[in-house]
Amino acid sequence: MALSETSSQTDMSVHSTFASRYVRASLPRFKMGEKSIPKEAAYQIINDELMLDGNPRLNLASFVTTWMEPECDKLMMDAINKNYVDMDEYPVTTELQNRCVNMIAHLFNAPLGEGESAVGVGTVGSSEAIMLAGLAFKRKWQNRMKSQGKPCDKPNIVTGANVQVCWEKFARYFEVELKEVRLRDGYYVMDPEKAAEMVDENTICVAAILGSTLNGEFEDVKTLNDLLLQKNQETGWEVPIHVDAASGGFIAPFLYPELEWDFRLPLVKSINVSGHKYGLVYAGVGWVIWRSKEDLPEELIFHINYLGADQPTFTLNFSKGSSQIIAQYYQFIRLGYEGYRNIMENCLENANVLKRGLEKTGRFDIVSKDAGVPLVAFSLKDTSSHNEFQVSDMLRRYGWIVPAYSMPPDAEHVTVLRVVVREDFSRTLAERLVNDIQKVLRDLDLVPARVSEKLIGDGDGDGNGNADADSQSVAVKKTAIDVQREITSHWRKLVADKKKKTNGVC
């Protein structure tokens, strides 16, 4: 949830393009109107504003699914009014959730006996899943420390500096120290050896990332497991592993089935995965699966009966829609293992098409790895004239939303652009994106020349844009640093002016 702000550079009213047809008066922007308006007017006003949003299909910043089959869309709309938490009223929806939990547990190689049910729950994305897993680790650690007569007021968790912000939220909200393994140039994920060194008696778990948001790379969970097994044996500690597989959990089993990262490793006690990413469901649904019942403390589970029957629940929220749960089950039975594998292979192939196209330009270094989430992270080889943020800004002219960002410490000097290749990102779109990036680069290459011409033209001249001898002399005396500063200043003003023109539109 974003914190709301009421500041606006426009007036305090909302105007409809078709106001004369439906309504005569404008609506207050931040207060509820005194009177009702026709349904057609309400629809048109909101629809007009939403036209200014970006196109989700061209939002290459997001890992979240932006396309589903019409049949699944219909199932979701049919279930839009079902409250998922009311298990007694909607028992079939509950059954579908349980089936999904078991399917995912088997996909992640949970050690389940014959007829044994998996332990897990559907969540509102991986953020809630991580909060729940973190709480389970914290409570298990507290119980163990209390049983040994030791203090339990200073828990910590070890992660890489590349973790998603939800881990920082968990640490701050639930008073757990976050110990981050710093990155380094050329190595943008958690180093398992350094992580093992940072572990101590108060470490509730080490969080490994299967699919870093920075460059899509899988962290080495197998090596981390082996190092922690050795350290636990030497110290008598019981430091476990949680795998944040938000992005990679529905990729690795299909593209890299031999990769050991899941419950095949004994210290992996819980795994979260985002159904709304490569699980191929609209936002927002996530899943958290525990290795066994012993890994989820019973005191964290609540039992309620005021909805009609005894219902165990372990969630941070209560009411939520059933649509995404139903959609997840649809994808599982519709696609099966074969369908998911085909989609992931196609995503990887399209990512390689984009990667090869960028390499052919000769202008970029590829930061992402061959094995990992199907995305392409890349940096400019030469940033003396323009940088990745300017490329990102200029690509919006063509409708593309491509994020640019700096790496965390100690690699903050590295800036990258990232394109996430989802199911709906075709080879044709990949080729078109490369062409548009080349156009942007050509335009940016001309910026220094245009600025230099403007600097000369702004001086005393003959009135036809030609500088006289004195102004030419002044221009010649400018140092390279002066010219670069003027170019940078001009570019910043250009971007600022553009934002002034767009920020007021609403």
Side-chain angles (χ1 to χ4, degrees):
M1 177 186 72
L3 298 178
S4 64
E5 296 181 0
T6 58
S7 59
S8 175
Q9 295 180 358
T10 61
D11 61 33
M12 303 298 285
S13 301
V14 176
H15 304 274
S16 171
T17 304
F18 302 94
S20 60
R21 177 173 299 202
Y22 296 123
V23 292
R24 295 290 302 272
S26 61
L27 299 175
R29 189 180 297 272
F30 303 117
K31 294 182 180 180
M32 187 178 292
E34 293 294 329
K35 297 181 179 181
S36 302
I37 63 173
K39 60 182 184 294
E40 298 87 354
Y43 172 84
Q44 195 66 56
I45 289 171
I46 297 172
N47 187 65
D48 288 351
E49 292 201 74
L50 289 176
M51 287 193 299
L52 299 175
D53 268 349
N55 183 338
R57 294 280 301 276
L58 299 182
N59 180 9
L60 307 182
S62 177
F63 293 79
V64 177
T65 297
T66 54
W67 179 86
M68 297 185 73
E69 291 176 323
E71 291 78 7
C72 193
D73 288 346
K74 186 177 186 304
L75 280 173
M76 294 184 73
M77 289 306 300
D78 290 344
I80 201 74
N81 59 349
K82 289 184 180 180
N83 187 357
Y84 161 79
V85 78
D86 196 344
M87 301 177 188
D88 189 56
E89 185 69 23
Y90 308 116
V92 176
T93 300
T94 302
E95 169 65 16
L96 297 187
Q97 187 239 208
N98 293 338
R99 293 180 192 177
C100 288
V101 166
N102 281 272
M103 289 179 181
I104 296 169
H106 283 289
L107 190 66
F108 294 167
N109 295 292
L112 299 173
E114 186 68 27
E116 183 181 359
S117 296
V119 180
V121 66
T123 60
V124 183
S126 276
S127 293
E128 184 189 8
I130 285 169
M131 301 287 175
L132 298 177
L135 283 172
F137 282 119
K138 183 180 178 181
R139 183 57 58 90
K140 286 273 291 185
W141 172 83
Q142 287 175 327
N143 291 343
R144 185 170 63 252
M145 296 296 280
K146 288 178 181 178
S147 68
Q148 298 173 3
K150 296 179 180 179
C152 57
D153 58 338
K154 294 183 179 180
N156 69 67
I157 188 168
V158 176
T159 70
N162 56 310
V163 293
Q164 214 262 359
V165 69
C166 60
W167 284 100
E168 298 178 31
K169 289 182 178 180
F170 166 75
R172 189 179 303 178
Y173 294 167
F174 296 103
E175 299 180 323
V176 176
E177 179 190 1
L178 188 66
K179 299 171 69 173
E180 294 185 337
V181 178
R182 296 276 183 127
L183 309 185
R184 62 179 185 269
D185 197 5
Y187 196 91
Y188 305 122
V189 292
M190 180 179 67
D191 184 330
E193 293 186 0
K194 291 184 177 180
E197 292 173 1
M198 295 177 69
V199 164
D200 59 33
E201 191 176 22
N202 294 325
T203 301
I204 64 174
C205 81
V206 179
I209 311 300
L210 195 78
S212 171
T213 56
L214 299 180
N215 66 346
E217 187 175 352
F218 293 164
E219 292 184 342
D220 190 348
V221 187
K222 176 68 166 62
T223 297
L224 177 64
N225 178 84
D226 294 343
L227 290 171
L228 288 180
L229 279 174
Q230 181 180 351
K231 191 157 191 173
N232 287 343
Q233 186 176 11
E234 294 172 352
T235 60
W237 302 338
E238 300 179 19
V239 179
I241 296 173
H242 174 84
V243 179
D244 179 357
S247 300
F250 284 121
I251 294 171
F254 306 106
L255 293 184
Y256 316 104
E258 302 304 319
L259 180 67
E260 294 185 51
W261 62 274
D262 52 19
F263 291 120
R264 285 170 288 183
L265 303 175
L267 289 184
V268 174
K269 302 299 184 182
S270 56
I271 300 172
N272 71 275
V273 65
S274 291
H276 62 220
K277 291 182 180 177
Y278 288 92
L280 308 179
V281 177
Y282 295 142
V285 60
W287 304 91
V288 57
I289 311 294
W290 283 272
R291 183 184 192 87
S292 66
K293 293 180 180 179
E294 289 72 27
D295 296 306
L296 176 57
E298 177 64 30
E299 61 263 37
L300 294 179
I301 301 174
F302 290 82
H303 294 267
I304 60 172
N305 62 10
Y306 53 79
L307 291 178
D310 179 67
Q311 300 173 3
T313 175
F314 180 38
T315 58
L316 292 181
N317 67 307
F318 196 64
S319 295
K320 63 180 177 182
S322 299
S323 295
Q324 279 78 11
I325 298 293
I326 294 169
Q328 186 73 84
Y329 184 68
Y330 170 89
Q331 295 289 44
F332 285 169
I333 67 169
R334 162 75 174 91
L335 296 172
Y337 190 94
E338 177 189 34
Y340 269 93
R341 185 186 61 218
N342 289 339
I343 290 171
M344 301 311 155
E345 287 177 349
N346 189 59
C347 288
L348 183 61
E349 290 171 4
N350 290 336
N352 287 331
V353 169
L354 177 60
K355 176 185 173 183
R356 289 192 295 268
L358 293 171
E359 288 175 331
K360 286 181 180 179
T361 68
R363 304 289 294 271
F364 297 104
D365 290 319
I366 305 299
V367 178
S368 49
K369 304 297 182 181
D370 291 335
V373 177
L375 61 78
V376 184
F378 51 104
S379 296
L380 283 166
K381 291 183 177 180
D382 181 8
T383 57
S384 59
S385 298
H386 41 264
N387 58 36
E388 290 82 1
F389 294 101
Q390 294 163 347
V391 173
S392 174
D393 186 70
M394 293 279 281
L395 279 171
R396 286 181 177 266
R397 293 183 177 182
Y398 300 94
W400 300 107
I401 302 173
V402 179
Y405 50 88
S406 299
M407 290 290 189
D410 289 324
E412 61 270 16
H413 62 284
V414 178
T415 305
V416 300
L417 295 149
R418 187 196 68 212
V419 173
V420 178
V421 177
R422 302 186 300 270
E423 180 187 6
D424 56 354
F425 186 79
S426 66
R427 178 168 182 164
T428 300
L429 287 177
E431 293 170 347
R432 175 61 62 87
L433 176 59
V434 172
N435 289 335
D436 289 342
I437 288 174
Q438 290 177 310
K439 293 177 185 177
V440 164
L441 292 175
R442 285 194 292 269
D443 287 343
L444 288 172
D445 288 341
L446 295 175
V447 169
R450 290 171 181 167
V451 175
S452 297
E453 291 173 5
K454 185 177 185 301
L455 292 175
I456 294 175
D458 286 344
D460 295 330
D462 59 8
N464 296 317
N466 299 316
D468 58 22
D470 290 338
S471 64
Q472 288 179 2
S473 175
V474 172
V476 170
K477 290 179 182 180
K478 291 182 183 293
T479 66
I481 293 178
D482 291 335
V483 173
Q484 184 62 39
R485 285 174 178 169
E486 289 170 340
I487 292 171
T488 303
S489 177
H490 173 79
W491 179 259
R492 287 177 177 171
K493 184 177 183 303
L494 192 68
V495 173
D497 289 344
K498 179 182 176 183
K499 288 183 177 179
K500 287 179 182 178
K501 293 177 181 178
T502 58
N503 283 349
V505 180
C506 53

